Amino acid sequence: MVSYMSVLMYGVGGIIVAGMVLLVALQEKLVYVPVLPGMTKSYPITPTRLRLQYEDVWLRSSDGVRLHAWFIKLFPDCKGPTIIFFQENAGNIAHRLEMVRIMLERLQCNVFMLSYRGYGASDGYPSQHGITRDAQAALDHLTQRTDIDTSRIVVFGRSLGGAVGAVLTKNNPDKVAGFILENTFTSILDMAGVLLPFLKWFIGGSGSKGPKVLNCLVRSPWSTIDIIGQIKQPILFLSGLQDEMVPPSQMQMLYAKAATHNRRCVFVDFPTGMHMDTWLSGGDRYWRSIQLFLEQNAPKNEDRTRHNENESVARSCCLSIDTAG
């Protein structure tokens, strides 16, 4: 007779084997979804459809992969802040154009939209290592342009894009003025347990329980929780409390980790915001939160000069008082 313990061990072993098969065979398809069901890889529309002025930009990542992007300007000589927008994991940049159109109008900014490798018109196949290179190529391109104020570059990432943006911002403290992330996960390791609950005991991030024996099989861990605490620039956290994909508690964990090391962190939540529509359901408060963040951390040249002059006057006054004392 097979003992109860033997049955239990066989069951656990079966779960581990099934988990290994899923992780090895399907993980890229779960993490990266360049083509939505029933649609093609190509862009369904271009910015022209929304009467937006744009430039097709072609880049080479550091490993030679050819990338496509749209650089969309509010008007030809706009010197407002430039936002690098990193999208979610599903679909392509064309599916975000309506949101970007409103972003341009409300924030008086330029927007650079990168197609990750394997997405849209970009070549290659998506991976964490590759997309990290792609993001760096996008930033390097912007810092070499002469038609924008390169001191006002801000990174904005939603969901997977927040993980991408966190790495880029951390790696470029002198090139990125600020970082905005929305509805982003702590790590893919933690999300695996959310999407596949039966694996929760065997896979997870640094704060999870269990042996985590399957972590070594994850090729794109995107551990934002380990990156966020190393970012020195100002960070704005935008969290939809009705997020049906990423538990809002993960955004709170990211904020807590960042705020421990960085005093320039702001957390704004939106009671009715879901994973993909927080920018819409958040209404005027959503856009005002971002606008205030940009005004404070990516100001116009004259505002920056005035701010520096005020700081110099304040320091001089303090010095005079100390000397008199």
Side-chain angles (χ1 to χ4, degrees):
M1 177 180 291
V2 179
S3 67
Y4 172 79
M5 186 58 69
S6 297
V7 172
L8 179 61
M9 292 302 295
Y10 281 124
V12 171
I15 291 175
I16 293 177
V17 170
M20 291 176 65
V21 171
L22 285 172
L23 288 174
V24 171
L26 301 176
Q27 62 179 275
E28 268 77 24
K29 292 184 179 180
L30 292 173
V31 177
Y32 309 112
V33 189
V35 182
L36 292 170
M39 303 190 73
T40 64
K41 186 173 180 286
S42 60
Y43 305 121
I45 60 173
T46 68
T48 300
R49 176 80 66 85
L50 300 182
R51 299 181 180 179
L52 298 174
Q53 301 183 51
Y54 79 104
E55 171 188 345
D56 274 308
V57 178
W58 295 94
L59 307 170
R60 287 282 178 185
S61 192
S62 60
D63 58 352
V65 175
R66 187 169 183 257
L67 307 171
H68 178 251
W70 286 329
F71 185 40
I72 307 176
K73 284 193 169 186
L74 182 65
F75 45 85
D77 58 346
C78 177
K79 294 292 184 178
T82 295
I83 293 176
I84 308 180
F85 179 75
F86 294 123
Q87 66 160 73
E88 307 87 332
N89 73 321
N92 59 52
I93 55 177
H95 300 117
R96 281 79 195 178
L97 280 174
E98 180 58 33
M99 185 276 295
V100 166
R101 181 186 66 80
I102 298 175
M103 179 182 284
L104 290 164
E105 295 174 355
R106 292 296 302 260
L107 305 179
Q108 299 290 292
C109 64
N110 306 309
V111 179
F112 191 90
M113 304 180 73
L114 173 70
S115 278
Y116 308 135
R117 61 183 61 202
Y119 283 70
S122 294
D123 295 340
Y125 299 92
S127 67
Q128 177 172 337
H129 186 64
I131 291 176
T132 298
R133 289 173 178 263
D134 300 346
Q136 188 64 53
L139 178 60
D140 291 344
H141 168 81
L142 285 177
T143 57
Q144 294 168 11
R145 295 186 72 112
T146 59
D147 58 341
I148 64 171
D149 184 346
T150 56
S151 68
R152 305 180 72 189
I153 296 174
V154 174
V155 172
F156 189 135
R158 179 181 296 133
S159 192
L160 173 65
V164 177
V167 176
L168 182 68
T169 303
K170 189 265 291 185
N171 289 342
N172 296 272
D174 299 324
K175 296 179 181 179
V176 175
F179 175 40
I180 303 169
L181 75 165
E182 178 181 326
N183 297 339
T184 295
F185 45 78
T186 51
S187 72
I188 290 295
L189 298 173
D190 290 329
M191 285 303 298
V194 172
L195 299 175
L196 302 170
F198 67 93
L199 290 180
K200 194 171 185 179
W201 183 254
F202 307 102
I203 190 169
S206 56
S208 63
K209 299 179 181 179
K212 296 179 287 189
V213 295
L214 299 181
N215 281 12
C216 62
L217 298 177
V218 178
R219 293 185 287 269
S220 293
W222 288 114
S223 190
T224 314
I225 192 70
D226 294 326
I227 298 295
I228 201 76
Q230 302 177 50
I231 294 175
K232 306 302 181 185
Q233 300 96 312
I235 309 175
L236 174 62
F237 296 79
L238 303 172
S239 177
L241 298 185
Q242 301 302 316
D243 192 330
E244 74 286 8
M245 293 291 295
V246 178
S249 60
Q250 293 197 15
M251 277 290 287
Q252 294 166 359
M253 291 171 64
L254 290 174
Y255 171 71
K257 181 67 175 288
T260 301
H261 306 277
N262 186 345
R263 295 184 177 181
R264 296 182 295 173
C265 295
V266 178
F267 189 95
V268 185
D269 57 28
F270 302 90
T272 62
M274 300 181 71
H275 190 65
M276 296 290 289
D277 78 345
T278 299
W279 64 273
L280 189 60
S281 62
D284 186 60
R285 180 167 168 262
Y286 177 91
W287 295 109
R288 283 192 291 106
S289 298
I290 301 176
Q291 183 177 29
L292 179 61
F293 180 80
L294 295 178
E295 289 173 353
Q296 293 176 340
N297 301 295
K300 298 178 182 178
N301 283 328
E302 55 267 30
D303 293 339
R304 189 183 306 113
T305 300
R306 190 179 306 114
H307 176 73
N308 292 338
E309 289 175 349
N310 290 339
E311 282 194 339
S312 297
V313 170
R315 283 195 296 268
S316 297
C317 290
C318 291
L319 180 61
S320 298
I321 292 172
D322 290 341
T323 302

